[in-house]
Amino acid sequence: MPRAFNQLMFTPAVLAHQERLGSAKAYAKFLADGPQSGHLIGPAEKAFIEARDGFYQSTVSETGWPYVQYRGGPVGFLKVLGESTLGYADLSGNRQYISRGNLDGNDRVAMILMDYANQRRLKILGRVSFTEGEQAAASLFIEGSETQPERAAIIKVEALDWNCPAHITPRYTEAELRPHLNQLGLEIAQLKAENERLKAELAGQ
């Protein structure tokens, strides 16, 4: 059977466009030769997921409109609970509850996890269930979160796919830049000290 992501996403309309635009043969080989599960979280996916401090999440409203929201928190707030299960403490926010309401009517969610610095992204499709209450989310809560949790969110992964790195503009967080900035600061301090030493030697001649 095809990989889970392609089975869910490569609809007849998508396949028709691939045929029309000349990519059908390449993707047919990919479908035939690629991994046959496509929904299990392996070591590479686990490391990637748990190193993120945020992700983009899409739900669909009762009016049929998609709604995309950014979910953020301390690094590791999105936890890998099993080979096909993710979880996080759903924190108190602006209290619009759009995503929460959407998921009552349609439990499907699409997520994109970005590593801008290394130009990598992982797409995940899943179904979400909630357990309400701060106590229910206690085991998923990460110290350092800006607000308290309102519920536990559990995602059963239906499919995942590493996406092409093309067109990802590298961006860096302060934490990612800090080692380089510290090294640069050290080198500047050393150059300043060397400059002062040379000036003193010249003044003494």
Side-chain angles (χ1 to χ4, degrees):
M1 61 180 293
R3 295 181 41 195
F5 188 87
N6 301 333
Q7 190 175 28
L8 294 176
M9 292 289 100
F10 285 17
T11 63
V14 171
L15 293 173
H17 280 288
Q18 290 178 0
E19 185 67 36
R20 182 175 66 86
L21 296 171
S23 64
K25 287 184 179 179
Y27 278 109
K29 186 177 188 305
F30 179 65
L31 284 168
D33 298 342
Q36 298 302 297
S37 57
H39 69 285
L40 301 181
I41 301 167
E45 289 80 17
K46 184 178 189 297
F48 184 85
I49 291 167
E50 294 185 340
R52 307 275 64 79
D53 62 0
F55 58 88
Y56 300 96
Q57 171 184 280
S58 176
T59 58
V60 179
S61 74
E62 293 172 283
T63 58
W65 286 96
Y67 177 73
V68 179
Q69 184 180 52
Y70 181 79
R71 313 291 294 185
V75 169
F77 83 98
L78 180 61
K79 296 178 178 293
V80 176
L81 305 179
E83 63 180 8
S84 61
T85 308
L86 303 173
Y88 64 92
D90 193 18
L91 304 178
S92 178
N94 59 16
R95 303 180 68 82
Q96 288 184 336
Y97 300 118
I98 296 175
S99 294
R100 180 67 185 87
N102 288 350
L103 288 164
D104 278 345
N106 185 338
D107 65 354
R108 294 178 179 89
V109 67
M111 303 159 63
I112 293 182
L113 282 63
M114 298 296 302
D115 176 2
Y116 288 103
N118 297 295
Q119 296 177 285
R120 298 189 300 165
R121 59 187 158 200
L122 180 64
K123 297 182 291 189
I124 299 174
L125 303 177
R127 292 179 180 270
V128 182
S129 62
F130 295 101
T131 302
E132 296 292 333
E134 184 174 337
Q135 185 174 355
S139 64
L140 298 173
F141 183 70
I142 295 288
E143 292 298 330
S145 300
E146 293 183 359
T147 60
Q148 292 302 305
E150 294 187 347
R151 62 192 59 82
I154 303 298
I155 303 164
K156 297 300 292 184
V157 176
E158 298 276 330
L160 51 82
D161 187 51
W162 290 100
N163 205 201
C164 170
H167 311 302
I168 299 176
T169 301
R171 295 183 174 91
Y172 303 89
T173 66
E174 181 181 355
E176 289 166 337
L177 283 174
R178 181 50 52 195
H180 305 285
L181 294 175
N182 289 345
Q183 180 61 33
L184 183 59
L186 178 61
E187 291 175 3
I188 290 173
Q190 290 173 340
L191 288 171
K192 284 184 175 179
E194 178 68 9
N195 186 51
E196 291 300 320
R197 184 185 66 80
L198 292 173
K199 286 167 61 178
E201 287 183 1
L202 288 172
Q205 291 179 359

